Amino acid sequence: MAKEKCLILDDDERLSRLLVKGLECFGCDALSTVTSDECLGHYSDAMKENQPYDFVILDLALSGERGGKETLDSLLTIDPKARAIATSGYKEKDPMVNYRKYGFKEVLPKPFSIVELLDVVDRVVKGSQ
């Protein structure tokens, strides 16, 4: 994996730290956020600085917060080319099954392994070239 830039939205801070560490071990520059507003702020700032994120990983179910689907709607207004991966433990929910309908490029059902994570990231990154 090249030096890709990733933004993560997940309210499970332990999982977020593991995602960041896992992606960094494979050469990715990753940043985690716990709220939709924080995620959107970082994404918007990166766009303004002409250093956009290569992809985002969005948890669909956030406690007391707009989830990944709603966050992606906002991201796509900031950047219509945003590449997002949906992640959730609710594998049968519509956004996980019909993810392309919502604008996601891939899904990553929880729990997942580092190999599964890297395979999905690779498909998203290569699919955009």
Side-chain angles (χ1 to χ4, degrees):
M1 180 184 312
K3 187 70 168 180
E4 306 297 338
K5 190 173 172 187
C6 172
L7 183 61
I8 300 161
L9 171 61
D10 199 306
D11 58 352
D12 182 339
E13 292 184 52
R14 194 178 93 230
L15 176 60
S16 291
R17 283 193 303 272
L18 288 171
L19 279 169
V20 168
K21 287 185 187 299
L23 289 167
E24 286 176 345
C25 285
F26 290 92
C28 188
D29 182 15
L31 174 68
S32 67
T33 61
V34 294
T35 69
S36 179
D37 288 341
E38 183 184 14
C39 179
L40 293 169
H42 282 289
Y43 199 96
S44 182
D45 290 347
M47 291 295 291
K48 288 175 189 169
E49 295 168 4
N50 202 27
Q51 297 180 344
Y53 285 93
D54 295 296
F55 64 97
V56 294
I57 298 173
L58 303 173
D59 186 3
L60 294 177
L62 300 176
S63 178
E65 180 70 31
R66 286 180 293 177
K69 185 173 76 65
E70 295 81 12
T71 302
L72 180 57
D73 291 340
S74 297
L75 283 176
L76 290 171
T77 63
I78 296 169
D79 177 11
K81 296 179 183 176
R83 293 175 281 169
I85 299 166
T87 186
S88 178
Y90 302 102
K91 299 169 186 157
E92 291 80 30
K93 294 283 185 179
D94 191 50
M96 290 294 283
V97 175
N98 299 304
Y99 60 95
R100 292 197 187 276
K101 174 174 98 174
Y102 296 96
F104 290 99
K105 303 297 182 195
E106 281 286 344
V107 291
L108 189 59
K110 292 178 182 178
F112 52 84
S113 69
I114 191 70
V115 172
E116 292 167 321
L117 169 66
L118 295 175
D119 283 346
V120 166
V121 167
D122 193 49
R123 286 195 304 270
V124 168
V125 171
K126 286 183 178 174
S128 66
Q129 298 174 352

mmCIF file of all heavy atoms in Angstrom, residues 43 47 72 74-83 103 105:
data_model
loop_
_atom_site.group_PDB
_atom_site.id
_atom_site.type_symbol
_atom_site.label_atom_id
_atom_site.label_comp_id
_atom_site.label_asym_id
_atom_site.label_seq_id
_atom_site.Cartn_x
_atom_site.Cartn_y
_atom_site.Cartn_z
ATOM 1 N N TYR A 43 -12.040 16.396 7.327
ATOM 2 C CA TYR A 43 -12.125 16.171 5.883
ATOM 3 C C TYR A 43 -12.164 17.510 5.145
ATOM 4 O O TYR A 43 -11.446 17.720 4.171
ATOM 5 C CB TYR A 43 -13.362 15.329 5.543
ATOM 6 C CG TYR A 43 -13.265 14.690 4.182
ATOM 7 C CD1 TYR A 43 -12.812 13.385 4.050
ATOM 8 C CD2 TYR A 43 -13.612 15.388 3.029
ATOM 9 C CE1 TYR A 43 -12.708 12.779 2.804
ATOM 10 C CE2 TYR A 43 -13.507 14.801 1.781
ATOM 11 C CZ TYR A 43 -13.052 13.503 1.676
ATOM 12 O OH TYR A 43 -12.939 12.917 0.435
ATOM 13 N N MET A 47 -9.384 19.134 2.497
ATOM 14 C CA MET A 47 -9.746 19.566 1.138
ATOM 15 C C MET A 47 -9.277 21.006 0.901
ATOM 16 O O MET A 47 -8.732 21.318 -0.156
ATOM 17 C CB MET A 47 -11.257 19.458 0.919
ATOM 18 C CG MET A 47 -11.791 18.045 0.871
ATOM 19 S SD MET A 47 -11.191 17.083 -0.536
ATOM 20 C CE MET A 47 -12.017 17.927 -1.881
ATOM 21 N N LEU A 72 -21.531 10.279 5.429
ATOM 22 C CA LEU A 72 -21.140 10.182 4.026
ATOM 23 C C LEU A 72 -21.948 11.139 3.162
ATOM 24 O O LEU A 72 -21.406 11.754 2.244
ATOM 25 C CB LEU A 72 -21.270 8.749 3.505
ATOM 26 C CG LEU A 72 -20.883 8.565 2.035
ATOM 27 C CD1 LEU A 72 -19.438 9.027 1.775
ATOM 28 C CD2 LEU A 72 -21.078 7.125 1.609
ATOM 29 N N SER A 74 -22.942 14.052 3.912
ATOM 30 C CA SER A 74 -22.283 15.356 4.068
ATOM 31 C C SER A 74 -20.916 15.375 3.399
ATOM 32 O O SER A 74 -20.531 16.373 2.778
ATOM 33 C CB SER A 74 -22.138 15.704 5.556
ATOM 34 O OG SER A 74 -23.405 15.837 6.157
ATOM 35 N N LEU A 75 -20.167 14.284 3.519
ATOM 36 C CA LEU A 75 -18.848 14.211 2.876
ATOM 37 C C LEU A 75 -18.964 14.356 1.361
ATOM 38 O O LEU A 75 -18.136 15.025 0.732
ATOM 39 C CB LEU A 75 -18.150 12.888 3.202
ATOM 40 C CG LEU A 75 -17.524 12.744 4.571
ATOM 41 C CD1 LEU A 75 -16.978 11.329 4.749
ATOM 42 C CD2 LEU A 75 -16.439 13.762 4.801
ATOM 43 N N LEU A 76 -19.984 13.753 0.800
ATOM 44 C CA LEU A 76 -20.154 13.807 -0.656
ATOM 45 C C LEU A 76 -20.525 15.209 -1.140
ATOM 46 O O LEU A 76 -20.283 15.539 -2.296
ATOM 47 C CB LEU A 76 -21.172 12.766 -1.119
ATOM 48 C CG LEU A 76 -20.696 11.317 -1.010
ATOM 49 C CD1 LEU A 76 -21.841 10.344 -1.289
ATOM 50 C CD2 LEU A 76 -19.513 11.045 -1.925
ATOM 51 N N THR A 77 -21.077 16.042 -0.262
ATOM 52 C CA THR A 77 -21.316 17.437 -0.658
ATOM 53 C C THR A 77 -20.004 18.219 -0.620
ATOM 54 O O THR A 77 -19.814 19.140 -1.398
ATOM 55 C CB THR A 77 -22.370 18.130 0.225
ATOM 56 O OG1 THR A 77 -21.914 18.190 1.564
ATOM 57 C CG2 THR A 77 -23.705 17.418 0.146
ATOM 58 N N ILE A 78 -19.107 17.833 0.277
ATOM 59 C CA ILE A 78 -17.780 18.466 0.350
ATOM 60 C C ILE A 78 -16.915 17.984 -0.812
ATOM 61 O O ILE A 78 -16.196 18.757 -1.429
ATOM 62 C CB ILE A 78 -17.095 18.120 1.699
ATOM 63 C CG1 ILE A 78 -17.878 18.700 2.871
ATOM 64 C CG2 ILE A 78 -15.647 18.612 1.720
ATOM 65 C CD1 ILE A 78 -17.416 18.170 4.227
ATOM 66 N N ASP A 79 -16.983 16.670 -1.073
ATOM 67 C CA ASP A 79 -16.140 16.042 -2.089
ATOM 68 C C ASP A 79 -16.924 14.925 -2.780
ATOM 69 O O ASP A 79 -17.006 13.817 -2.253
ATOM 70 C CB ASP A 79 -14.880 15.474 -1.431
ATOM 71 C CG ASP A 79 -13.971 14.737 -2.385
ATOM 72 O OD1 ASP A 79 -14.178 14.820 -3.622
ATOM 73 O OD2 ASP A 79 -13.042 14.058 -1.901
ATOM 74 N N PRO A 80 -17.487 15.208 -3.946
ATOM 75 C CA PRO A 80 -18.265 14.179 -4.647
ATOM 76 C C PRO A 80 -17.455 12.927 -5.002
ATOM 77 O O PRO A 80 -18.027 11.883 -5.300
ATOM 78 C CB PRO A 80 -18.729 14.883 -5.923
ATOM 79 C CG PRO A 80 -18.621 16.339 -5.625
ATOM 80 C CD PRO A 80 -17.501 16.485 -4.640
ATOM 81 N N LYS A 81 -16.125 13.009 -4.922
ATOM 82 C CA LYS A 81 -15.271 11.858 -5.236
ATOM 83 C C LYS A 81 -14.828 11.099 -3.983
ATOM 84 O O LYS A 81 -13.980 10.211 -4.063
ATOM 85 C CB LYS A 81 -14.039 12.325 -6.003
ATOM 86 C CG LYS A 81 -14.378 12.914 -7.359
ATOM 87 C CD LYS A 81 -13.136 13.392 -8.061
ATOM 88 C CE LYS A 81 -13.493 14.032 -9.384
ATOM 89 N NZ LYS A 81 -12.335 14.601 -10.053
ATOM 90 N N ALA A 82 -15.385 11.447 -2.837
ATOM 91 C CA ALA A 82 -14.999 10.790 -1.582
ATOM 92 C C ALA A 82 -15.195 9.283 -1.700
ATOM 93 O O ALA A 82 -16.198 8.805 -2.225
ATOM 94 C CB ALA A 82 -15.818 11.343 -0.425
ATOM 95 N N ARG A 83 -14.207 8.541 -1.201
ATOM 96 C CA ARG A 83 -14.253 7.081 -1.216
ATOM 97 C C ARG A 83 -14.425 6.586 0.211
ATOM 98 O O ARG A 83 -13.548 6.811 1.048
ATOM 99 C CB ARG A 83 -12.991 6.508 -1.839
ATOM 100 C CG ARG A 83 -12.915 6.839 -3.325
ATOM 101 C CD ARG A 83 -11.640 6.380 -3.913
ATOM 102 N NE ARG A 83 -10.614 7.360 -3.563
ATOM 103 C CZ ARG A 83 -9.327 7.188 -3.737
ATOM 104 N NH1 ARG A 83 -8.872 6.075 -4.240
ATOM 105 N NH2 ARG A 83 -8.471 8.127 -3.417
ATOM 106 N N GLY A 103 -23.634 5.244 -1.597
ATOM 107 C CA GLY A 103 -22.412 5.955 -1.962
ATOM 108 C C GLY A 103 -21.132 5.338 -1.430
ATOM 109 O O GLY A 103 -20.047 5.873 -1.658
ATOM 110 N N LYS A 105 -18.059 2.640 -1.266
ATOM 111 C CA LYS A 105 -17.324 1.849 -2.258
ATOM 112 C C LYS A 105 -17.191 0.394 -1.839
ATOM 113 O O LYS A 105 -17.104 -0.496 -2.675
ATOM 114 C CB LYS A 105 -15.930 2.437 -2.488
ATOM 115 C CG LYS A 105 -15.928 3.884 -2.932
ATOM 116 C CD LYS A 105 -16.606 4.059 -4.262
ATOM 117 C CE LYS A 105 -16.534 5.512 -4.700
ATOM 118 N NZ LYS A 105 -17.454 5.812 -5.778
#
